[in-house]
Amino acid sequence: MRPDQVSVVPSSVIASASSFENAQRTVDYLRSYGMDSGSMSIVGAELRQVRKRPRVPVVKLTAAGALHGAVLGLLAGVFVTLVAETTLTGLVVVIWGLVYGGLLGTLWGLFRGLIRNRPEVEITEVVPTRYEVRCPVEELSVARTLLADASDVDDGRVEREVIADAPHEERDAA
């Protein structure tokens, strides 16, 4: 389901997982037994804010900048060799382009690394602590039966716990 779509079918929580991969495995397991994956959804729950400091080593950014600059300088040298008339040979122009591009790229990467890794820069993200697998109310009993059968099988594919406070038909009828 796309993020801008609103679900018109009431859904119930059938399973909870600590990671998105485990929730996806749950959906894959249910889908392998014939449930429609389009009707199921994975929803992040218990959201919390996390502050992270972006840490990319300055050396890594400098090396990447040098590599990108060298490639751009090489391309510029080839372009100048093909288009312009110079007193230098084509090989010398290409080598100068490579060297100057590498130097400029190194400086660019160094400054980028120094600016990016400032101590006062923090990134704030909202991340879920768990993921809920939801399905329409009409398919709830089928999904619960499949998940109950999966808990008896220890094949390592399915790791989840059925939420105890999810609505049950027996409790709701009473």
Side-chain angles (χ1 to χ4, degrees), residues 65-84:
L67 182 65
H68 289 125
V71 169
L72 286 175
L74 181 71
L75 292 174
V78 169
F79 179 74
V80 167
T81 302
L82 293 175
V83 176

Side-chain angles (χ1 to χ4, degrees), residues 51-96:
R51 290 184 180 174
K52 293 194 290 186
R53 291 182 57 189
R55 279 284 172 203
V56 179
V58 177
V59 174
K60 184 176 180 180
L61 287 173
T62 303
L67 182 65
H68 289 125
V71 169
L72 286 175
L74 181 71
L75 292 174
V78 169
F79 179 74
V80 167
T81 302
L82 293 175
V83 176
E85 283 189 34
T86 63
T87 58
L88 302 172
T89 64
L91 182 62
V92 173
V93 173
V94 170
I95 291 174
W96 275 111

Side-chain angles (χ1 to χ4, degrees), residues 63-137:
L67 182 65
H68 289 125
V71 169
L72 286 175
L74 181 71
L75 292 174
V78 169
F79 179 74
V80 167
T81 302
L82 293 175
V83 176
E85 283 189 34
T86 63
T87 58
L88 302 172
T89 64
L91 182 62
V92 173
V93 173
V94 170
I95 291 174
W96 275 111
L98 182 74
V99 169
Y100 281 129
L103 286 173
L104 289 175
T106 300
L107 290 174
W108 180 260
L110 177 67
F111 291 136
R112 203 172 121 217
L114 292 175
I115 290 171
R116 185 173 182 166
N117 290 324
R118 290 179 296 173
E120 69 269 5
V121 175
E122 286 185 346
I123 296 174
T124 304
E125 291 180 335
V126 177
V127 295
T129 57
R130 65 183 175 87
Y131 295 87
E132 296 175 346
V133 179
R134 296 177 171 258
C135 76
V137 176

Side-chain angles (χ1 to χ4, degrees), residues 21 49-50 68 74 90 96 136 147 167 171:
E21 291 78 23
Q49 263 189 336
V50 177
H68 289 125
L74 181 71
W96 275 111
L147 291 176
R171 269 196 306 182

Side-chain angles (χ1 to χ4, degrees), residues 14-19 21-30 33 131-133 143-153 155-163:
I14 56 172
S16 176
S18 59
S19 68
E21 291 78 23
N22 289 341
Q24 186 64 45
R25 274 192 240 136
T26 303
V27 171
D28 291 341
Y29 176 80
L30 293 172
Y33 282 97
Y131 295 87
E132 296 175 346
V133 179
R144 285 217 175 114
T145 304
L146 290 172
L147 291 176
D149 292 342
S151 64
D152 297 338
V153 179
D155 61 357
R157 289 186 307 159
V158 181
E159 296 176 21
R160 73 199 147 287
E161 64 183 42
V162 177
I163 296 180

